[in-house]
Amino acid sequence: DAGKLLGAALIPTAMSLPWLIVTYPALHKFTQYNAQSFGQAGTSLSFGTSLTTYLEGLPAMMSPLLLLAFIASLLVVGAKTHRALILLSVSCLSGFILLSLLSWAYPLDRYAMPALLAPAVYTGAAFSYAWSKRSTFFLRLSYCILAVVATAQYLLFSFAPYPLPVPEVVTRALPSIGIGLRTYHDLHEPSYPDKYDWGQMWVLSQIKQVDKDLPVYLQVLPNSRPFNVHTMEYAAKLAKSPVIATTMRQWAVTGDTIEFSPKTAMYYHWYLLKTGYQGNVFQSDKCQKAFDELTNYVRTSGKFRLIAMRSLPDHSICYLYRQK
């Protein structure tokens, strides 16, 4: 068994080594980018926090029903099955531990999904045992009910409310049994509406005072979680505003990119700027310089006038400029 375990570790390591060597520079840059982003946002992830987050996410990843089925399967299958699946169990558990050691990566559910292969295999083994001659009628009935409910759950998650309409009473009941979206230690709370007022509706009201109901383009330069182009887009939809929120900042894995020229800066009617923390880091010093040049151009070129300003929850100030 020790030889098999060693072989199971060495074979995938040898197969992945060429890929790791080729992609190491990009991986190193990505880890530096994430570490910088976490530092600017005041976020830190310890091994315990990440491991706890992954374990807490099991009901959301598997659904409470299938998690209970997996736990029951551990009791149903015999010692022979446990011995046969020892390599699978060790690899999945070690995967959880190794993921939790990555302090530069958000503990998102999708990273841990491959480890759910073990619960799936154990549940399948228990189903097989339920239909063996050694099984009881009660066990067979239980797994039949589980199969029906699991199928209904799959349809509910994948095809409701469209194209399958679901009664509102069902959707209201789902959170009470632990089925639904969850937060990750305040890393992924809803961006809008936030528990603090970041002034999205205030921005729209200021624009409306000047341009009434005309469709205008708003260039949003901050890119933090609660204050970015997407929260402005959502606010505009809620308010049924004709304002079109957009941004020159383009997201990339290793940081935002942006370019500046006086000509393109004049494409937009409005600019939304802020002091202090600007959100996601930039990919390079060149992009940071372009961002600084753009904001300086809006403030000092004389082609834009300051319409309004207000304080934000992070003690910064946002500025709203209109092209003259």
Side-chain angles (χ1 to χ4, degrees), residues 65 127 141-155:
L65 173 68
F127 263 97
L141 178 62
S142 300
Y143 274 87
C144 283
I145 295 174
L146 173 64
V148 172
V149 176
T151 302
Q153 177 179 270
Y154 169 74
L155 294 175

Side-chain angles (χ1 to χ4, degrees), residues 223-235:
N223 192 26
S224 62
R225 183 188 65 80
F227 202 54
N228 57 66
V229 63
H230 302 299
T231 59
M232 282 305 312
E233 281 182 311
Y234 186 45

Side-chain angles (χ1 to χ4, degrees), residues 193-204:
D194 190 73
K195 57 184 177 181
Y196 301 109
D197 180 13
W198 286 84
Q200 283 88 351
M201 290 300 179
W202 171 84
V203 170
L204 296 175

Side-chain angles (χ1 to χ4, degrees), residues 33-177:
Y33 154 71
N34 265 5
Q36 184 180 359
S37 297
F38 287 179
Q40 290 190 2
T43 300
S44 61
L45 294 173
S46 64
F47 168 75
T49 299
S50 296
L51 181 61
T52 301
T53 302
Y54 283 124
L55 294 177
E56 288 177 349
L58 287 177
M61 287 186 272
M62 299 177 63
S63 82
L65 173 68
L66 295 182
L67 177 59
L68 291 175
F70 165 57
I71 295 173
S73 300
L74 295 175
L75 303 176
V76 169
V77 300
K80 183 178 179 180
T81 301
H82 283 294
R83 286 194 298 270
L85 297 178
I86 185 64
L87 292 180
L88 177 64
S89 301
V90 170
S91 64
C92 290
L93 287 173
S94 61
F96 266 100
I97 295 174
L98 290 174
L99 279 174
S100 302
L101 290 172
L102 303 179
S103 60
W104 46 265
Y106 282 129
L108 302 179
D109 289 349
R110 64 175 180 266
Y111 300 150
M113 285 296 183
L116 300 186
L117 179 63
V121 172
Y122 266 102
T123 305
F127 263 97
S128 177
Y129 177 81
W131 294 104
S132 67
K133 295 181 179 179
R134 296 172 295 171
S135 180
T136 63
F137 173 78
F138 175 76
L139 187 59
R140 293 182 182 181
L141 178 62
S142 300
Y143 274 87
C144 283
I145 295 174
L146 173 64
V148 172
V149 176
T151 302
Q153 177 179 270
Y154 169 74
L155 294 175
L156 179 65
F157 285 179
S158 304
F159 303 101
Y162 178 86
L164 299 177
V166 177
E168 186 177 350
V169 64
V170 175
T171 57
R172 287 202 306 264
L174 292 180
S176 64
I177 58 175

Side-chain angles (χ1 to χ4, degrees), residues 226-253:
F227 202 54
N228 57 66
V229 63
H230 302 299
T231 59
M232 282 305 312
E233 281 182 311
Y234 186 45
K237 287 184 179 296
L238 290 179
K240 298 182 180 179
S241 169
V243 173
I244 304 168
T246 185
T247 185
M248 288 193 231
R249 296 178 66 152
Q250 301 296 315
W251 183 89
V253 171

